[in-house]
Amino acid sequence: MAIFQITRDTPLPAAEAWRRLTAWERHGDVVPLTRITVGTPPPTHVGTVFVARSALGPVGFDDVMEVVEWCPPDGASPGRCRLEKRGSFVTGWAEIEVYPATSGPGSTVVWREDLRVRGLPSLCDGVLSSVARRMFGRAADRLLAGGPV
């Protein structure tokens, strides 16, 4: 199991950081070779299911995720979303938390993930964690920036 954490401070208010990070379709714009399909009607809620399809030509896999906890930030209270990965190839979980700044504008994002790839030996966990931390850190930066990819 490859567990990693990304922490980002942003000048965005917590509600806006949350909105940008949980715009699931937008993740396909910032993760290479990936597109997102949301299979449940909006807005996002517990039970929302979406699929990240990563592929290079005909070779690829689906990362099926379900929202199992959904609590957007509210005033001084942080937001928390937990996703369970339900795919046949990628499993684990992801948590996104957004904390309003304690003083002044802005917020802090904490993204934790337990990424498991079926068939990949645990010997590879360190490398997988390192690569995933960089890739998802870059994705978080781009989602928070909100500009063109």
Side-chain angles (χ1 to χ4, degrees), residues 10-23:
T10 175
L12 297 171
E16 180 60 15
W18 176 267
R19 185 190 69 75
R20 291 181 187 194
L21 289 169
T22 61

Side-chain angles (χ1 to χ4, degrees), residues 25-115:
E25 293 92 344
R26 179 91 169 103
H27 286 236
D29 296 337
V30 300
V31 178
L33 307 173
T34 301
R35 68 179 164 76
I36 306 292
T37 306
V38 179
T40 350
T44 297
H45 56 282
V46 170
T48 292
V49 175
F50 59 96
V51 178
R53 172 77 181 162
S54 297
L56 183 57
V59 179
F61 63 91
D62 291 338
D63 184 2
V64 180
M65 290 169 265
E66 180 180 354
V67 176
V68 296
E69 186 176 342
W70 181 258
C71 185
D74 184 18
S77 298
R80 178 178 160 87
C81 174
R82 182 175 171 94
L83 308 167
E84 293 288 336
K85 295 175 172 280
R86 309 252 193 238
S88 59
F89 185 66
V90 177
T91 62
W93 51 263
E95 295 173 342
I96 300 170
E97 297 173 328
V98 180
Y99 297 88
T102 54
S103 63
S107 55
T108 298
V109 171
V110 179
W111 181 325
R112 282 187 233 39
E113 194 151 341
D114 172 7
L115 184 60

